[in-house]
Amino acid sequence: MLKTLILTTCLLGCTLFAHAQDQPKRAYEAGIEVVNYNPAGNGHRYDNSPANNPAQWASGVFLRYSPTRFGVRLGGNFSQGTVKPSYDYCADCLEGKVTDKELQLKVGAQYAPLKKFDWLYAFTDFYYRRYTSTGNLTGGFCGCLDVTQTRTSNGIGLNAGLGAKIRVFKSLYLSPEIYYDVLRVRDETRQQDNLNGSLSATYHETRTMHRPAMRLRATLAF
């Protein structure tokens, strides 16, 4: 909660600072997503997998074309990582490694409703999301289990919120954005018994997730 409050305060402070800037108009911008912060995490089954980290650093690229108060946005995010699940007070829990990957492809639009303050804008992004998580796990109460658990998740989502363009140097801009994320996904979870090669379980689920989030992008204008 404290981290969320600090980050929100910084973003609001940057927005107020942008009010005093005389920004030359540049139609094209390209850059990276410095950080995306989601207080709720991504809600996946492996609680300590990298995709559940509320902060994702340098995980995306961004392109914006805004010749007028109206602009078009394109972007993509990719993250991956491997962790070892740990459980307290659980004698029969499986242990091993979990590797996950997440890909998002985005297209959207933005509009600056105030002509005098065209650095402030509202935006909407639609995106496709693909997530996979694979855990090679062994152990159990008898110590004789060896399974591979695989989870795949495909879905579409929507981001809607407010952002600001802050000129740091002549062609370098920061864009803090606060938004609400809605995502609907189709999950499939499979468990493979590696000792006998059988598929011991398959589970399907459709979910809709709603969550507030924020991010900071750095772009070069040209």
Side-chain angles (χ1 to χ4, degrees), residues 106-218:
K106 305 175 182 179
V107 59
Q110 68 179 52
Y111 179 70
L114 304 176
K115 184 177 181 179
K116 186 177 180 180
F117 309 111
D118 60 355
W119 48 267
L120 181 66
Y121 58 87
F123 67 90
T124 301
D125 292 329
F126 295 92
Y127 67 93
Y128 164 78
R129 172 183 171 275
R130 167 78 174 177
Y131 169 83
T132 61
S133 183
T134 302
N136 295 311
L137 309 172
T138 59
F141 187 76
C142 64
C144 57
L145 298 180
D146 182 359
V147 300
T148 297
Q149 293 182 354
T150 304
R151 188 179 195 191
T152 60
S153 178
N154 292 289
I156 55 175
L158 169 69
N159 296 161
L162 294 174
K165 292 178 60 176
I166 302 169
R167 183 163 61 93
V168 180
F169 298 108
K170 182 177 181 180
S171 300
L172 177 62
Y173 289 78
L174 294 178
S175 289
E177 295 181 345
I178 300 175
Y179 62 97
Y180 197 78
D181 182 25
V182 180
L183 174 64
R184 184 168 179 82
V185 295
R186 172 71 170 174
D187 294 342
E188 180 183 87
T189 303
R190 300 166 61 91
Q191 182 166 300
Q192 175 81 32
D193 188 333
N194 296 322
L195 296 179
N196 56 30
S198 64
L199 183 64
S200 57
T202 302
Y203 178 72
H204 296 274
E205 180 184 15
T206 299
R207 298 181 300 139
T208 301
M209 293 179 280
H210 306 263
R211 58 215 177 173
M214 56 188 72
R215 59 186 167 222
L216 177 66
R217 287 168 165 166

Side-chain angles (χ1 to χ4, degrees), residues 7-190:
L7 185 54
T8 302
T9 302
C10 291
L11 294 180
L12 291 176
C14 290
T15 302
L16 293 175
F17 174 74
H19 172 69
Q21 298 188 93
D22 181 18
Q23 300 184 30
K25 190 65 178 179
R26 297 174 183 267
Y28 292 94
E29 291 175 77
I32 65 170
E33 188 165 286
V34 179
V35 60
N36 189 320
Y37 185 79
N38 181 344
N42 285 347
H44 298 303
R45 193 155 299 170
Y46 295 119
D47 292 338
N48 56 351
S49 74
N52 272 299
N53 191 329
Q56 297 289 330
W57 295 88
S59 64
V61 293
F62 179 66
L63 176 66
R64 174 163 52 198
Y65 175 62
S66 51
T68 62
R69 291 160 62 188
F70 177 82
V72 178
R73 303 151 55 94
L74 298 173
N77 291 72
F78 179 77
S79 62
Q80 66 176 355
T82 300
V83 295
K84 293 183 177 181
S86 59
Y87 306 96
D88 295 329
Y89 312 110
C90 183
D92 60 343
C93 289
L94 298 175
E95 297 181 352
K97 292 183 178 180
V98 176
T99 301
D100 66 4
K101 300 178 182 180
E102 184 173 22
L103 171 68
Q104 293 186 12
L105 300 176
K106 305 175 182 179
V107 59
Q110 68 179 52
Y111 179 70
L114 304 176
K115 184 177 181 179
K116 186 177 180 180
F117 309 111
D118 60 355
W119 48 267
L120 181 66
Y121 58 87
F123 67 90
T124 301
D125 292 329
F126 295 92
Y127 67 93
Y128 164 78
R129 172 183 171 275
R130 167 78 174 177
Y131 169 83
T132 61
S133 183
T134 302
N136 295 311
L137 309 172
T138 59
F141 187 76
C142 64
C144 57
L145 298 180
D146 182 359
V147 300
T148 297
Q149 293 182 354
T150 304
R151 188 179 195 191
T152 60
S153 178
N154 292 289
I156 55 175
L158 169 69
N159 296 161
L162 294 174
K165 292 178 60 176
I166 302 169
R167 183 163 61 93
V168 180
F169 298 108
K170 182 177 181 180
S171 300
L172 177 62
Y173 289 78
L174 294 178
S175 289
E177 295 181 345
I178 300 175
Y179 62 97
Y180 197 78
D181 182 25
V182 180
L183 174 64
R184 184 168 179 82
V185 295
R186 172 71 170 174
D187 294 342
E188 180 183 87
T189 303
R190 300 166 61 91

